[in-house]
Structure formats: structure tokens, C-alpha cells
Amino acid sequence: MNALLIFLVILHVIICVFLIGVVLLQQGKSADLAGAFGGQGSQTAFGPRGAANLLTRLTTWSAVLFMITSISLTILMSRTSDRSVLSGIKTQQSTPKK
């Protein structure tokens, strides 16, 4: 179980770095000059959309893998740890002033 957790954390970090890189490489929807002034160019937010290229497909799949590894890590961590985050903290109860 520990080896699986370490593998998933390493895979999760690799997917995070890849997702950041792919998103930063993409061209924005309103990157042209007409988009800055509200024109309906081909790259604006509500303009015509072309076919999905390789970067958008890589972004989609890496986002899906990121969410799957996030959910898997959450499930594994909840099953392996029986402690709470605040279990080691001692609390002091005080009586209210009258």
C-alpha cells in the first residue's frame, strides 16, 4: 500500500508539471487585436471554434488524469490514516467570565 501511494504521488506530480506546461503553451482565445476591442474574430471567446488540435487534446487528457490521481490519492490517504489532523493538539477549556 505504501509503494502504491508513493507511485501515485510521483505520477501526480509529473501530471501536474505536464498540465502546467501544456496550458502555458496554448494560445489564448482572445489573443488577437480584435479580441482586445470586443470584435468577433475567429479566436475570440464566443467566435467560431475550429477543430481541437493536439494541445487541447493533451490538456483534456492530462486534466482527466490529474483528477483521477487526485481522487485516488484522497481515497488512499483516507484509508491508510486513522488519525485526524488535530488529534495531537491539546485543547484548553476555559470558563466564561461572569
Side-chain angles (χ1 to χ4, degrees):
M1 188 71 114
N2 196 14
L4 179 63
L5 187 64
I6 292 172
F7 173 73
L8 272 178
V9 168
I10 292 171
L11 182 67
H12 188 69
V13 169
I14 291 170
I15 291 172
C16 286
V17 171
F18 182 75
L19 182 61
I20 290 169
V22 170
V23 167
L24 288 177
L25 285 176
Q26 288 185 6
Q27 181 182 4
K29 293 282 182 207
S30 59
D32 56 353
L33 187 61
F37 297 109
Q40 288 295 324
S42 63
Q43 293 290 324
T44 58
F46 297 107
R49 180 175 168 93
N53 59 6
L54 181 65
L55 284 177
T56 57
R57 289 181 184 167
L58 287 176
T59 304
T60 303
W61 282 107
S62 58
V64 167
L65 289 174
F66 174 79
M67 291 184 195
I68 289 172
T69 56
S70 296
I71 292 170
S72 302
L73 282 171
T74 304
I75 292 171
L76 278 177
M77 289 302 292
S78 69
R79 289 184 181 175
T80 58
S81 69
D82 296 331
R83 291 183 34 180
S84 172
V85 175
L86 299 174
S87 65
I89 308 250
K90 295 182 182 179
T91 59
Q92 295 178 351
Q93 288 186 347
S94 62
T95 57
K97 286 188 173 182
K98 292 185 180 181

